[in-house]
Amino acid sequence: MDTTDEPLDLYDIAVLLNYERATTEPRFRHTKLREVALPGTRPKTVAFKAPNEHEWIDNDCTWVVLDQVPDQSSDRDLFSDFLPEGKKPGGGISEQELETLFYQVRCHDGGYINIGLLQILFNMFPNDTKLKIRHAPKNKSPGESYITSVTKRVIIEEPFMYPKTSMAIAILPENQLLVSGNMPNFETAIMGFGALDDPSDEVKSYLDLSSMQFGDAGRGPGLNGKQLFALDTTAEHQSRVMRTMGGNDPEKTPKTSGAIRGTPYDDWLTEVATRVKKKWDNRHEEHWCGHCGSPDATSKCAGCGQAWYCGKDHQKVAWGFHRGYCNKA
């Protein structure tokens, strides 16, 4: 099948990138969940006092304690293996909340890492490669979609104030502590896209592969989405900012650029991007879950026969987006 003229689909690409990145994240390789302490509580299995904790802002802090198990044969970490064998979440944590934690941990402080990943992937395609952008449907209306180019993108570094949530991740046995969202000022990077025929370069769409660092409030796309990343219109992006932050820092303005310098993770990110490009190139022979990106996609949408899922649960979650593009909806 000749697919030369088919545009890249940003939504599908984001699903694949999210899976390949999250399941091979080097900072959290081979870690198992020991304990979760929800806002207002502290870990019970370890006494862990963070440096300068008295300077933290007063927001909803979730503590996550992980055990690193180095001798693992698996080439990736899966949500299904997040808990040690035979252990249940406990503490009133539901299956969906456990999934949120898995991705929230792996999105920790990941804005610039994910921008580097997107930059590497897009640079693997010719500059004239078309890019299709699809947004979630609203009510009974279909989602907004348009065709642009991989070059009609911009990196946006946004300064925020007073994040509404924070996370402290303790990794044992090295006693490593990673904290985000605990200071009054917070900066992250996302990627914006404009229409191909718009000379003003106005940003119409915002992609944040690290949106799950804010927990369920970071889910997308759309105002009531359930996806593991955010692909938002301008209005949806502004709404998400207000749900996760106290607002933009009035003393700073967002910075825009066409590229960022390399990161310490570029070798790994290149491997991730290479795997995603290979999957995209073989998209008519290989299938992946339209929600989480897993290659174990055995359930096909009975309506259109085009979308695949790893199970009924993820198919149901993804319907909020897919219904806008399923030709049998």
Side-chain angles (χ1 to χ4, degrees):
M1 179 182 294
D2 184 9
T3 60
T4 306
D5 295 330
E6 287 187 24
L8 288 177
D9 187 298
L10 185 61
Y11 182 86
D12 288 340
I13 287 292
V15 169
L16 288 172
L17 287 172
N18 189 64
Y19 176 80
E20 291 294 336
R21 176 198 57 79
T23 58
T24 60
E25 231 289 358
R27 296 175 298 173
F28 306 104
R29 288 293 279 134
H30 308 316
T31 53
K32 302 285 187 181
L33 180 63
R34 174 190 287 200
E35 183 184 5
V36 179
L38 297 177
T41 64
R42 294 298 297 266
K44 297 179 180 179
T45 61
V46 291
F48 217 113
K49 180 174 176 59
N52 302 321
E53 188 177 347
H54 62 282
E55 298 178 0
W56 289 11
I57 60 175
D58 185 17
N59 62 11
D60 290 337
C61 181
T62 298
W63 285 77
V64 178
V65 182
L66 303 174
D67 288 307
Q68 197 155 42
V69 186
D71 297 326
Q72 295 286 315
S73 58
S74 174
D75 61 351
R76 61 180 69 242
D77 299 308
L78 302 176
F79 159 65
S80 56
D81 298 326
F82 194 31
L83 285 174
E85 187 174 355
K87 182 179 178 181
K88 296 183 179 180
I93 302 293
S94 68
E95 191 79 3
Q96 179 179 324
E97 289 170 327
L98 187 64
E99 183 181 57
T100 297
L101 280 171
F102 177 83
Y103 288 101
Q104 191 172 7
V105 164
R106 283 156 176 78
C107 284
H108 165 80
D109 203 18
Y112 288 94
I113 292 175
N114 282 307
I115 288 297
L117 174 57
L118 287 165
Q119 183 172 274
I120 290 170
L121 177 73
F122 286 136
N123 287 341
M124 291 180 173
F125 293 90
N127 286 340
D128 60 353
T129 301
K130 296 295 188 295
L131 182 68
K132 184 176 184 178
I133 297 181
R134 299 182 291 150
H135 288 291
K138 296 180 180 179
N139 300 320
K140 295 183 179 180
S141 301
E144 178 186 357
S145 65
Y146 60 96
I147 300 292
T148 185
S149 164
V150 294
T151 59
K152 293 285 286 188
R153 67 183 195 265
V154 63
I155 297 166
I156 307 169
E157 299 175 72
E158 292 191 297
F160 297 113
M161 296 184 67
Y162 297 105
K164 295 182 180 180
T165 61
S166 57
M167 174 168 275
I169 306 169
I171 305 177
L172 305 177
E174 299 298 328
N175 292 338
Q176 183 180 6
L177 183 66
L178 303 173
V179 183
S180 63
N182 60 310
M183 302 303 288
N185 301 99
F186 180 86
E187 186 175 277
T188 189
I190 60 176
M191 189 164 281
F193 299 86
L196 187 61
D197 56 355
D198 185 356
S200 71
D201 291 331
E202 178 184 359
V203 174
K204 291 186 61 177
S205 305
Y206 298 79
L207 176 60
D208 184 0
L209 289 179
S210 302
S211 66
M212 285 295 288
Q213 66 181 304
F214 306 115
D216 279 329
R219 285 182 177 268
L223 299 178
N224 300 307
K226 295 295 182 182
Q227 299 301 320
L228 303 175
F229 56 87
L231 177 54
D232 290 332
T233 63
T234 298
E236 291 165 350
H237 174 66
Q238 292 171 346
S239 176
R240 192 178 305 281
V241 168
M242 297 310 297
R243 290 205 308 275
T244 57
M245 302 288 175
N248 292 97
D249 189 336
E251 297 184 0
K252 298 181 180 180
T253 57
K255 294 184 292 184
T256 60
S257 59
I260 62 170
R261 295 180 179 179
T263 75
Y265 301 99
D266 275 5
D267 288 344
W268 163 60
L269 295 177
T270 300
E271 293 175 0
V272 170
T274 300
R275 290 195 298 269
V276 168
K277 186 178 187 302
K278 182 179 179 181
K279 286 187 176 183
W280 176 257
D281 290 342
N282 296 328
R283 61 193 176 279
H284 294 293
E285 287 74 39
E286 300 179 18
H287 307 295
W288 58 82
C289 176
H291 174 67
C292 71
S294 168
D296 299 324
T298 57
S299 179
K300 182 169 62 174
C301 175
C304 64
Q306 300 297 314
W308 291 77
Y309 302 95
C310 64
K312 294 297 182 182
D313 288 344
H314 279 186
Q315 183 172 2
K316 183 178 180 180
V317 170
W319 179 246
F321 180 87
H322 181 58
R323 68 179 176 84
Y325 300 95
C326 179
N327 57 20
K328 297 295 184 181

